[in-house]
Each structure stands twice: as structure tokens, then as C-alpha cells.
Amino acid sequence: MSYDVVVIGSGPGGYVAAIRASQLGLKTAVIEKENLGGICLNWGCIPTKALLKSAQVFEYINHANEFGITIGTPKADFPAMIKRSRGVAENMSKGVEFLMKKNKIDVITSHARLIGKGKIEVDNKGQKETVEGKHIIVATGARSTNLPFMPQDGKKIIGYREAMSLPKQPKKMVVVGSGAIGSEFAHFYNSIGTEVSLIELLPNIVPIEDEEVSKQLERSFKKQGIKVMTNAQVESVDINGEGCKVTVKTKKGSESIDCDVVLSAVGITSNIEEVGLKEVGVITDKGKIIVDEFYKTNIPGIFAIGDCIPGPALAHVASAEGIICVEKIAGQSVEKLDYNNIPGCTYCSPEVSSVGYTEKRAKEEGIEVKIGKFPFSASGKASAAGHKDGFVKLIFDAKYGELLGAHMIGYNVTELIAEIVAIRKLETTGHELIKTVHPHPTMSEAIMEAAAAAYGEVIHL
Ligand SMILES: Cc1cc2nc3c(=O)[nH]c(=O)nc-3n(C[C@H](O)[C@H](O)[C@H](O)COP(=O)(O)OP(=O)(O)OC[C@H]3O[C@@H](n4cnc5c(N)ncnc54)[C@H](O)[C@@H]3O)c2cc1C
């Protein structure tokens, strides 16, 4: 078996790269050891959003009387929510299977290991076989990081896979780490009645976000009943009793929290150990494969994309890298990816989305800024929808009017951020944004109003 392109891993990096390669006329194969679609479709982006939708529906029903609807007391059916989420994931994976067939891409179900120049060893029902590829793209993704002082056993100390497939809803849960994954699970479990403590080592939750957004989310989480602890370090987890006892060190001293399960959401570790990278001489550093701006490793013919290389661990980044990598292989003239214009979203409630500079980073870099903020409490659409929490904050370069960054928290803001990414790509100025007519009533009007606020022209404040 010999191909122009062989992709190892079928996550959003791998399968998108394979489809683009096939579109460009390259004979392509994907080698995947689990389900097609990788973490994103099977254990990440999609099944978590299905669970969060269940939480949102439950919240709506709980607050139905606020919308003039009287109904009885609803009950969260946890196994049914898990079943729905798994079903959604399964369907998405089948969709990738269809796309592979449609694009005439060979799918090899096996663990893959590099064994020499252009050669990969696969397992065919116990028989070792060699697949040859002129260009090999490593897209092996990542897994949940296991901390030595709270090793995951899959039952009491769990990672994200178990968190979306537990057989029974925990009564009490401690979530360690408040990045996107930790915050989404904290919100989901709290919404359906689990008592949740969210523990963050740094001073703010969702620590990569603008500080004002982090503070607003912390207030919202606390209002929802989540116990949020920042500047807090888990020292140990004792699993010897019936449940778990988590010892947390804070500025005020040590505190002990009892719970049924601890979710470790402290980050991810790239899958680079079992791919034969060392044997063929591919350079790695700090657990990541080192690549150039077009995803070439130091070994000719071997490329890497997605969560196994440095950069933001996001599905849309992996896909964009896959497309660029393959277009370059096909000899096209390609623009490199602008890592400063990558949107990031957290799908808890209220949602969080952002792109570009935070206020802190702009100030640290000595850039003179103009900041405009518009609260959703002044938005007609937000009021009508019953979602007045949150705001849009835009950061402009005071000298040139360039939109340096955008930070949003509120209902549906993960859908609003794409406008900002396009504006930044097209180098639109603040004044052009103010003069861009937005439909009324929409949440998106808050973007235009925030721009107007930065220039002293806001109408609805
Ligand atoms: C709970 C959770 C929620 C998330 N939510 C979002 C979100 O909302 N938005 C977002 O943008 N990102 C989200 N992410 C991150 C996103 O899932 C990843 O960034 C994305 O999946 C990375 O894609 P990838 O192609 O690099 O690899 P992956 O999706 O990790 O896929 C890698 C694949 O390679 C396979 N593989 C590994 N080694 C081998 C081998 N040796 N041989 C054969 N196959 C192999 C694996 O089985 C896997 O299927 C989330 C992640 C998690 C865990």
C-alpha cells in the first residue's frame, strides 16, 4: 500500500487534512486506532456541547414561569442525557466515515508507528504490515494530563472521557482546573443538581481570558451555586473512604472537601510517545513535535499538526493547520496561519468568547489603547431573551484604530466572535465597524455599540 499522503490520526486535524489532500488529487489514507473524528467528535467538542444543551433545556424549563409558562417540576434524567450525547458523537463519527468514502480516502483501523523513511507499521488482525507514504502527517492529538498526586483511576478521580460517560450522576463533584473544559463540566453538573466545587490555582477562573470576563464568570458561577476557589492548590486526594477527600491549600490555610468524584481538568498531554518519532529522529520538545510554519518536522516527508504540536489546542486550529500543511505539500502558494487571530470559546452559561489581545497584554506591550464596553443589560434582544448578564469589550489601538482584541461574555457570544475574526482579518478600523449596520434586535448590535463606546459615540448607554 503506497500513498501520496498518509495521515496518522483522524481528529479534526487529520480528517480535514485528508479530505483537502484528496481534493487536490493526492492519493490519501488515514490510519486511526479508535473512532473516526478523534477527540473532537467522540470525546471533546461535540459530546460536551450535547450535554450543555441538555443543561440549557433543563434551565429553561426550570425558569419557564418567567416566560409565562406553567409546568410541573422537571427532573434531570442523567443516563438519558449521557445517552443522547453519546448518540450525537456516534452520528458525527459516522459522518466522517461517509466523508472518507465520498473522498475516496482509504481508512486503516490500527495503531500506527513510524518505522523508517516513508514507512509506517500497522496491525492487520494481528499481522504487521507496512504502509508507505511520500508525505506522512502526524495528527495524533492529546489526552487528559494525569497529575502524580491525583492519578486518574477512571472511577473516583476521572478525566474528561469518564466525565461524559459516568453511569450515575455524582451528588458532589470537585473540578480541578477552570480552563474551558473544567468550566464547561462545572457548569453542566451544577445545572443538573450536582454540588460542584471548582478549584483554580491561578487568581482567576478561565485564566487565559481578559480579567473582567473572568471576574464576571466567577460572579455568575457563584450566583448559580458553584463553589469557586481561586489561588487554591489541591495538595492531595484521599480515595480510601467511600468517596474522596480533597485537601486544598488556600491563602487562608488548608481546607478539606468531601465529594463522590474528582474531575481532573488540568490540561492535556500530546500523544507522541508511541508513534515511533524518536526512532526516526523527529525532534520533540516539552512534549510537543517541533515543526516549521508550514508544519514540516526536521525529517523530510514527515509533518505534524493539531494538538501534538505547540499552539492552542483547539479543533479549528488543528483543521486550519491540516489544510495549510496539505496545500503546501501540493505545491500551492499558501499564507501561514495567524495565531494572533484565533478565536477561543467556552460554552458554559454565560458563554465566553475572545480573540486577540487582552487589555493586560496590550498594556504590557506598551500599546496605547481605546476601550469600548457595552453591557447586555442595555440590549433589547438580551432583555427579551432573559439573558441580561455579560458584555462585549473591544480593545482598539488608539493611534491607528486597529481592533486588537475582543472579549465577550453572555448568551450566544460564541456565535458572535466570528464577526470579530473577520473584521481583524480584513483590518477593519473602529470607525468602519461603527458605520457597519447591524440587524435589530440582535445580540450582535452590542459589538457595534461597544465600538461606538470606544469613540464616545455610543447611543444606548
Ligand atoms: C472535553 C473537551 C472539550 C473540547 N471542546 C472543544 C471545543 O468546544 N472547541 C474546540 O475547538 N476544541 C475543543 N476541544 C479540543 C479539541 O477536541 C482538540 O483540540 C482537537 O480534537 C485536536 O484535534 P487533533 O486532530 O489534533 O487530534 P484529536 O482530535 O485528539 O485526534 C487524534 C486521533 O489520533 C488517534 N491516534 C493517536 N495515536 C495514534 C496512533 N499511533 N495510530 C493511530 N491513531 C492514533 C487518536 O485515536 C485520535 O482519534 C475539546 C477537548 C476536550 C477534551
Side-chain angles (χ1 to χ4, degrees), residues 8-14 31-35 37-40 43-45 48-49 110-113 139-142 160 164 181 184-185 271 274-275 305-308 313-316 318 345 347:
I8 307 179
S10 72
I31 310 175
E32 171 56 61
K33 66 181 171 130
E34 289 189 33
N35 294 331
I39 293 303
C40 167
W43 297 106
C45 319
T48 48
K49 272 69 235 180
S110 168
H111 180 94
R113 172 178 276 276
T140 48
Y160 55 78
M164 63 185 91
I181 295 175
E184 287 181 9
F185 277 116
N271 299 320
E274 321 251 305
V275 199
I305 55 169
D307 281 8
C308 62
L314 293 167
H316 41 286
C345 297
Y347 299 78

Side-chain angles (χ1 to χ4, degrees), residues 55-72 74 191 224 386-387:
Q56 189 190 46
V57 172
F58 190 53
E59 271 178 22
Y60 270 142
I61 296 172
N62 274 320
H63 292 98
N65 61 339
E66 290 168 24
F67 296 86
I69 302 161
T70 308
I71 40 178
S191 301
Q224 291 166 19
H387 290 289

